[in-house]
Amino acid sequence: MKSSNSLKSLRSILLVTAVAVGAAGFGAAAPQIFSPNTALADAVKVEAPAVFTFADVVDAVSPAVVSVRVEAGVEPASNEEGFDFQRRGREFFEEFFRNGPRGDFRRDQRPHRKFGQSQGSGFFVSEDGYVVTNNHVIDNGSKFTVVTSDGTEHEASLIGTDPRTDLAVLKVDADQEFTYVDFGAQRPRIGEWVVAVGNPFGLGGTVTAGIVSAHGREIGASRYDDFIQIDAAVNKGNSGGPAFNLKGEVIGVNTAIFSPSGGNVGIAFAIPAALADEIVTELIDNGSVTRGWLGVQIQPVTPEISESLGLDLENGAIVTSTQAESPAEEAGIVAGDIISAVDGEAIKGPKELARAVAAFDPNSEVEMTVWRDGEKQSVTVKLGTLDQASLERSPNQAEPTRLKQLGLALQPTQEGLLVTGVRPDSRAAEKGIREGDIIVSVNGEQIETMRDLRTGLKSAREAGRNSALLQLKRQNGTLFVPVPIGRG
C-alpha cells in the first residue's frame, strides 16, 4: 500500500518551503509601505519578502484528496438544519449526543435530503485507487462516487468498514495512476502545524490550517478512543478527510467536531495515523478487522478502590463481571480481579486494556498480571474473537430494609440486595448508587442478606480502611463503587 513514489517531487518542494520558513519566520521582514504618490508601475515591480506559506504542501497533496458522495437506499432522516441523525443511536456516536459536556459532538457530514445523498471527504492511499474515509460517511450507502480535485467523477466499490474506529475503505477501478499520500510514521507534537483538506458543506476541495491541540482525547465514541485534537476549521462534509503535517504526511483522519451549533468552533478530532494505517491495511488485505476478545466488563482502579482493597495501585482495570463461556471465564478470571499488565506491558486503565487485547489476533495466548485477594498472580488467557455479547438481569422483589449508615433502602433478591431507595444527601448518593442497583459483594465477599452486608462493612472498618468496596449489578453490566465507612 505504501510506496516511496507517492507524491512525486513532494520532498523537494517541501524542502524549499522549510528553508524559506527557517530563513524568514513570521516577522523576519516588514512589508513595503507605499506613499500615495507611488506609481503603480513601481509598486508591482517590488518583490515580496519570503514568507511562511502552506501553498507548496497544498499544491502537492490536493490531488490525493477527494469528495465522497453516497446515495442511500432510502432517504435519510434529517432535522430542520439538514444534519443527518438517521444513525444517531448507533454505538460509535451514541455518547456524542447524549453526554457532551457543553455541546454536541457531531458527525460532520451533510445529507442532501431531496435525493437521499450524503457527502463527505476521503483520500487516496495507493496509486491503484484505494480511498480512505469514515464509516459514518458511507454507512447504509448503496452507491459511492469519488470526485477528484479536478472534478472527475469515479464510481467506487466498498472494500470494508470498521465501525469501532469509524474507518472505511473504497476502491476506484480506473485505467490510471492516482496521486496518493502516506500516513505519517511519527506522532505529531502538540503545537505543530496541521493542514486539513476536505469537502465542507459540499463545497469541494477546501483547505484550512491550525495546530495540533492535544493527544489522547476520549470523547465517548468507543472503547478505542485516542483522538488527536486540532483547531483547524473542520465542518460538516470534512468527515473522512485528511489532516496533514508540513511534510505532506497524513497525521490523522478528521472524524468529529465539538460544537453547540453544528459548525466549526475550533475543536475537531482526528483518528491518529498509526491507528488508521493499521486498520486500513487490514481492511484492504482482508475486507474486515478482527480483534482479540477477553469477555469482561471493566472499570478504572481509583485510589479509593485501591485503598478499600488494601492495595497500593494507581493503574489497572478492575473486572466487574465476566461473560459466560468467554475466554476470561475459561481462564478463571473473576469479578474483583485487577488486571495490571498484558504480556508484560503495564495497563493504565480500561481503555488501555481494551486496546491491548484488541491488538492481538483471535486465538492468541497472552499472559495477564492479575491482583486477587491482595496477591499478584499470572493468568494465561486464550483470546477469542470480539463479539457483541451482553448481560441481562431480572431482580426479584422482597420487603425493603434500611441501611442508615449509607442512606440506602435495600431488599434481598436471589442475586443480592436490591437498592429500592437512595437518600439524596447520603454517602451512597454521592458515589452514584441508584435505585435498581443490586449489591452482590463487599470487598470481594459475596452477600445474600443485610447481615452479610453489615458484616462486610464492619470487617473493612476493623481493618482500618476508610472505604468498603461494593460490587453492583446494573441493567447494562456491573461496576465497583467504594463507599466511605470511616465514621457513623
Side-chain angles (χ1 to χ4, degrees):
M1 182 177 67
K2 293 185 177 180
S3 168
S4 60
N5 295 324
S6 62
L7 296 179
K8 304 174 182 65
S9 78
L10 174 59
R11 305 287 185 240
S12 58
I13 292 174
L14 296 177
L15 179 60
V16 174
T17 303
V19 172
V21 174
F26 284 97
Q32 179 69 45
I33 300 176
F34 299 102
S35 70
N37 297 323
T38 301
L40 179 61
D42 294 333
V44 298
K45 292 179 182 178
V46 176
E47 290 187 11
V51 294
F52 173 76
T53 176
F54 297 107
D56 291 333
V57 177
V58 173
D59 285 345
V61 302
S62 289
V65 183
V66 301
S67 299
V68 178
R69 282 207 312 262
V70 181
E71 294 184 20
V74 295
E75 182 176 345
S78 306
N79 73 347
E80 59 185 8
E81 295 181 35
F83 296 106
D84 180 8
F85 288 103
Q86 182 182 24
R87 296 175 295 280
R88 174 174 176 174
R90 291 187 181 275
E91 175 185 1
F92 189 84
F93 283 92
E94 180 178 274
E95 296 301 318
F96 282 29
F97 294 89
R98 191 169 60 193
N99 295 324
R102 289 180 301 279
D104 287 335
F105 289 101
R106 298 183 184 266
R107 290 172 293 170
D108 43 329
Q109 74 180 79
R110 183 192 190 201
H112 192 299
R113 288 177 286 178
K114 182 177 180 180
F115 299 104
Q117 291 183 348
S118 62
Q119 300 183 53
S121 304
F123 54 99
F124 286 109
V125 291
S126 70
E127 64 182 11
D128 58 344
Y130 284 102
V131 175
V132 174
T133 187
N134 280 145
N135 175 71
H136 77 259
V137 170
I138 58 84
D139 194 20
N140 285 344
S142 58
K143 182 180 180 181
F144 313 100
T145 303
V146 168
V147 185
T148 58
S149 59
D150 62 4
T152 304
E153 297 186 4
H154 299 276
E155 187 172 340
S157 57
L158 180 61
I159 298 301
T161 67
D162 183 45
R164 290 184 177 89
T165 55
D166 197 28
L167 288 168
V169 175
L170 301 172
K171 178 67 164 62
V172 173
D173 290 316
D175 188 19
Q176 70 177 90
E177 293 182 354
F178 295 98
T179 299
Y180 67 98
V181 288
D182 284 332
F183 289 106
Q186 293 184 336
R187 175 177 172 173
R189 297 168 59 197
I190 295 175
E192 284 189 8
W193 284 109
V194 59
V195 178
V197 186
N199 179 35
F201 302 104
L203 293 173
T206 299
V207 180
T208 57
I211 62 171
V212 175
S213 303
H215 285 294
R217 289 303 196 205
E218 297 181 3
I219 58 177
S222 80
R223 71 187 72 186
Y224 308 111
D225 276 14
D226 187 22
F227 290 100
I228 298 172
Q229 181 183 328
I230 63 176
D231 73 347
V234 172
N235 289 285
K236 295 180 294 296
N238 276 113
S239 271
F244 294 102
N245 61 20
L246 294 188
K247 298 178 183 178
E249 299 169 331
V250 178
I251 60 96
V253 181
N254 298 321
T255 295
I257 59 175
F258 176 80
S259 173
S261 63
N264 166 63
V265 295
I267 300 178
F269 301 95
I271 302 166
L275 174 60
D277 191 8
E278 176 185 340
I279 298 300
V280 167
T281 299
E282 191 163 354
L283 288 176
I284 291 175
D285 291 343
N286 305 317
S288 62
V289 176
T290 57
R291 295 180 172 89
W293 173 55
L294 181 59
V296 294
Q297 292 188 345
I298 49 180
Q299 70 180 73
V301 177
T302 65
E304 289 177 307
I305 288 178
S306 181
E307 192 274 340
S308 68
L309 293 175
L311 299 175
D312 185 20
L313 294 175
E314 297 181 356
N315 298 316
I318 186 168
V319 177
T320 61
S321 67
T322 58
Q323 296 184 22
E325 300 181 356
S326 67
E329 184 184 63
E330 293 177 1
I333 293 177
V334 297
D337 284 350
I338 295 176
I339 301 175
S340 60
V342 176
D343 264 12
E345 294 294 327
I347 297 298
K348 293 182 179 180
K351 294 287 185 183
E352 288 73 21
L353 177 59
R355 294 172 193 150
V357 171
F360 288 96
D361 292 329
N363 298 318
S364 298
E365 290 192 353
V366 298
E367 293 292 326
M368 296 191 175
T369 302
V370 174
W371 288 85
R372 181 184 300 164
D373 298 329
E375 297 182 356
K376 183 168 68 173
Q377 53 186 284
S378 180
V379 177
T380 301
V381 182
K382 184 177 181 180
L383 300 177
T385 302
L386 184 64
D387 60 25
Q388 297 296 322
S390 62
L391 299 175
E392 298 181 354
R393 62 142 175 95
S394 300
N396 295 322
Q397 300 295 316
E399 291 299 319
T401 303
R402 298 190 179 278
L403 183 66
K404 294 183 180 180
Q405 178 181 351
L406 298 179
L408 293 173
L410 303 165
Q411 58 188 24
T413 72
Q414 292 180 348
E415 298 179 88
L417 297 176
L418 174 67
V419 178
T420 59
V422 182
R423 195 174 69 240
D425 60 347
S426 66
R427 301 172 187 177
E430 291 176 358
K431 294 300 180 180
I433 298 176
R434 60 198 190 201
E435 292 184 17
D437 289 345
I438 297 180
I439 303 175
V440 296
S441 75
V442 179
N443 293 327
E445 296 294 329
Q446 297 296 311
I447 64 170
E448 297 178 357
T449 65
M450 286 294 297
R451 181 175 181 178
D452 294 338
L453 176 57
R454 289 192 173 97
T455 299
L457 297 177
K458 180 180 178 181
S459 297
R461 191 161 45 244
E462 290 177 347
R465 298 174 184 171
N466 295 318
S467 301
L469 190 63
L470 304 183
Q471 181 186 359
L472 307 178
K473 292 189 68 175
R474 285 184 177 166
Q475 187 172 3
N476 60 347
T478 65
L479 71 159
F480 287 90
V481 176
V483 292
I485 57 171
R487 61 187 186 280

